[in-house]
Amino acid sequence: MYFEIVKKIRNILKEHHKFYDESLPMIASENVSSALVREIVASDFQHRYAEGDIGNRFYQGCKYVDEVESIVVDLSKKLFNCSFVEYRPISGTIANLAAYASIAKRNDGIISLSVKDGGHISHTEISAAGILGLRFYYFEFDQNRMNIDVDKSIKKIRRTKPRIINLGASLFLFPHPVKEMREIAEEIDAIVVYDASHVLGLIAGKQFQDPIREGAHIVTSSHHKTFPGPQGGLILTNDEELYKKFKNKTFPGLVSNHHLHHKAALAIALLEMLEFGEKYAKQIIINAKTLAEELYNYGFNVLCADYGFTESHQIVIDVSKLGGGDKIAKKLERANIIVNKNLLPWDDLKNVQNPSGIRIGVQELTRIGMKENEMKIIATFFKRLLIDGESESKIREEVINLRKNFKYIEYSFVKNPAYKYYEFEVIE
Ligand SMILES: Cc1ncc(COP(=O)(O)O)c(C=O)c1O
């Protein structure tokens, strides 16, 4: 009897794969990994434990885990040009929690971006930083430039003396002022943490700022947004004392099982970025700028027109005059264009369900081979659907057609269908 439900679940998953195979996935925090990554995610590593450090585990059976995790460490250091890496956090949020817990104690302060200004919840009182009982301050924000207002924030930091100066964001159009924040950190004995989750693939491809070189003490990250790995987190530093502390907070502090299959698969993504990262990251930024410009020229209120719209994978549009982020994101979804609604700095928090913005990321479309021409076509879809009022079904049909030419993962060692459902053979 229950096997029917098993079949149903598999079919739901297959439908999901088909939907993505016929859509334009433009959620800025997602990506699609190569078949090489997915093969390892499906491996026996997913069943195992490897508590402890490489070569010194609490469990037997780890000799191959040790081997591959040594490679992960070496490749991470090489790609990010740093001396120490903690690869075991199972997510970006856990990476942040481990980093914060290693440098701050209850009632110490943290300054970060508020969620409205683009900060991630884990930087705030409602999530990871909150459960540590820190005091919260938020950067002053320049809404025109969609970036931290350096002078006003420095004044606030001098006054409030936080222990952690937390850079990085979920809405992240332009590089953050790392150098300036490091200078003030030296003055007040603070630690600069840079959450690279959104831009790790761009950093790997050397097309965004280099936070460690610019002065961040610690870089935390997830490795599945612009960086096209399996889901998981990382912490990087050049400071051995800090490394020892966040290593301990990671294990035994926050993980027992570090999802070995994801970490082994991370090795492949690191290699893909070493080999193809620069080309991939360059194309992402070209695509984002092209799409932003086209949409702007069609009359959309794309933010930061005076500053080139973006230097990352993201673009942000204020759609309040078109009915708000909720209505527009749902309408786009019915045409197989997947974006998310997003709070903007001027939004009232009461409107969290229908904020003014939508956030768009082009990293996944880039990963499946799209370039400037496709960005121009996609901009026409937005215009025809949201400005001219053409039907959702007509645009959906055209989206499906466009996607017929973009079925494969690029920037990898092999060419495999991006949204294939890898079905195991089963015997009833
Ligand atoms: C800036 C930032 N940090 C951390 C995270 C959390 O990462 P994870 O989902 O891996 O916990 C996100 C997620 O979108 C993010 O945008």
Side-chain angles (χ1 to χ4, degrees), residues 140 152 154-161:
E140 297 295 323
K152 287 187 188 158
I154 284 179
K155 280 194 191 120
K156 194 170 198 175
I157 290 168
R158 276 211 181 95
R159 203 175 63 243
T160 55
K161 298 197 170 34

Side-chain angles (χ1 to χ4, degrees), residues 199-219:
V199 290
L200 194 71
L202 306 179
I203 292 171
K206 302 188 177 14
Q207 303 305 311
F208 203 67
Q209 65 190 144
D210 183 342
I212 292 187
R213 242 66 39 210
E214 289 176 32
H217 293 93
I218 297 176
V219 170

Side-chain angles (χ1 to χ4, degrees), residues 188-200:
I188 62 157
D189 192 26
I191 300 291
V192 177
V193 177
Y194 181 105
D195 181 344
S197 293
H198 262 271
V199 290
L200 194 71

Side-chain angles (χ1 to χ4, degrees), residues 29 90-94 96 118-120 122-123 168-170 195-198 222-225 232-233 359:
S29 55
I90 57 168
S91 70
T93 300
I94 294 295
N96 281 338
H120 185 251
S122 62
H123 308 159
S170 299
D195 181 344
S197 293
H198 262 271
S222 52
H223 47 67
H224 50 263
K225 302 185 197 298
R359 185 187 65 170

